[in-house]
Amino acid sequence: MSAEARLRHIVATGLDEGLSPPLLLMRLIIAAEHETDVEAALTADPRAGAPLRLWRERPGAWDVVRGVLDHADHAATAEAGDPVRRWAETFDRVASVSPEAAVALYSLGDAALLEAAGGEIVGWLDSRGLLDPATTVIDLGCGMGRVARLLAPRVDAVLGLDVSRRLLRHARAVAQDAPNLLFALHAGRDLACVRDGAADLVLAVDVMPYLVSAGLAAAHVADAFRALRPGGALVVMNWSYRGDPDLDLQEAEAAAAAAGFTRGACVRPFSLWDGRVFHWARPR
Ligand SMILES: C[S@@+](CC[C@H](N)C(=O)[O-])C[C@H]1O[C@@H](n2cnc3c(N)ncnc32)[C@H](O)[C@@H]1O
């Protein structure tokens, strides 16, 4: 298949799947060789009006997505060294391109898109009855705190943990007006800084893929069980980026069962983002 046909295929299948315009643009930018190829592939499909409009409204999207990928590709292919440190350094560098794109590439670096996607995440947690004025949340791999900030008015307390100093600086800057929001630099190996049974909800939005790649996923699931009170919930949004949903489900369910969680749900509830949500509870 020619490069041009491949891009047109990405547009057609994305539209068939009902992919959101930002996600479709993200996929196209990742696959294209040149910026002009994105516009060409979109104008070739009469159904691509919405993503084409978004592309024209966001002239910086190409540089942001490609800038992030340059750093992330390097980290993913580097074999040597401690993987936790490698990801921490990578996210520090990527945050200097765009903190918004560092935490969600499909935001294309746009704060309003990121906010809307965060609103969907919080809305889903609310719909599952997981947010309550008495709830204590651990936001593992909180990045720039975009979800923690939206959760803070709905719950008792949020502790955001992350390995990236630069993303935490962004998080702290937006958290100044929220006294129940705390961010801490995290060693990235477990949840040892959280007391047994101290949390009602452990939330991991798009961080488990880095723990999977570092061989730390099952250990974190087990430690989340310890950190949760009986009846508390572990919500993982995306298990890995390996592109093998069956393997992810099998691995995630095995880790949850081994830790003691009850059999949970696995859904894709969002319209802006294709995140796959795993939801388990610690038995009462
Ligand atoms: C794709 S971002 C998602 C950030 C945030 N959850 C969000 O959705 O906005 C992944 C985050 O995981 C963090 N991270 C990577 N490895 C980690 C580890 N071992 N422990 C904690 N955080 C980690 C990165 O620094 C980064 O902030």
Side-chain angles (χ1 to χ4, degrees), residues 1-17 24 27-28 41 45 47:
M1 201 188 278
S2 71
E4 190 187 333
R6 200 160 49 86
L7 293 186
R8 287 187 187 198
H9 180 70
I10 290 173
V11 174
T13 50
L15 292 168
D16 290 345
E17 286 171 28
L24 180 50
R27 283 195 190 173
L28 264 184
D45 194 318
R47 298 178 302 156

Side-chain angles (χ1 to χ4, degrees), residues 211-234:
L211 302 178
V212 167
S213 87
L216 293 168
H220 272 80
V221 171
D223 213 23
F225 186 91
R226 176 197 60 74
L228 284 165
R229 65 159 173 78
L234 169 62

Side-chain angles (χ1 to χ4, degrees), residues 239-252 268 276 278:
W239 183 262
S240 88
Y241 299 142
R242 293 174 297 207
D244 186 339
D246 292 340
L247 177 61
D248 280 1
L249 185 61
Q250 199 186 340
E251 213 175 84
R268 279 190 204 275
R276 190 181 191 203
F278 301 83

Side-chain angles (χ1 to χ4, degrees), residues 84 87-88 91 102-104 114 121 139-147 161-164 167 186-189 204-207 210-211 216 220 241:
V84 174
W87 283 120
F91 275 96
V103 299
L114 189 66
I121 291 173
D139 183 1
L140 174 64
C142 61
M144 66 183 297
R146 51 116 183 188
V147 178
L161 301 171
D162 206 284
V163 293
S164 163
L167 283 172
H186 178 51
R189 293 175 195 285
V205 181
D206 247 349
V207 59
Y210 304 98
L211 302 178
L216 293 168
H220 272 80
Y241 299 142

Side-chain angles (χ1 to χ4, degrees), residues 165-246:
R165 289 173 194 274
R166 195 184 283 255
L167 283 172
L168 283 174
R169 268 207 297 279
H170 286 283
R172 290 188 179 116
V174 297
Q176 277 165 358
D177 300 333
N180 62 342
L181 191 46
L182 190 71
F183 293 103
L185 184 65
H186 178 51
R189 293 175 195 285
D190 52 35
L191 291 169
C193 62
V194 184
R195 277 186 296 109
D196 293 4
D200 301 288
L201 170 63
V202 174
L203 178 64
V205 181
D206 247 349
V207 59
M208 201 54 92
Y210 304 98
L211 302 178
V212 167
S213 87
L216 293 168
H220 272 80
V221 171
D223 213 23
F225 186 91
R226 176 197 60 74
L228 284 165
R229 65 159 173 78
L234 169 62
V235 173
V236 172
M237 300 190 174
N238 278 337
W239 183 262
S240 88
Y241 299 142
R242 293 174 297 207
D244 186 339
D246 292 340

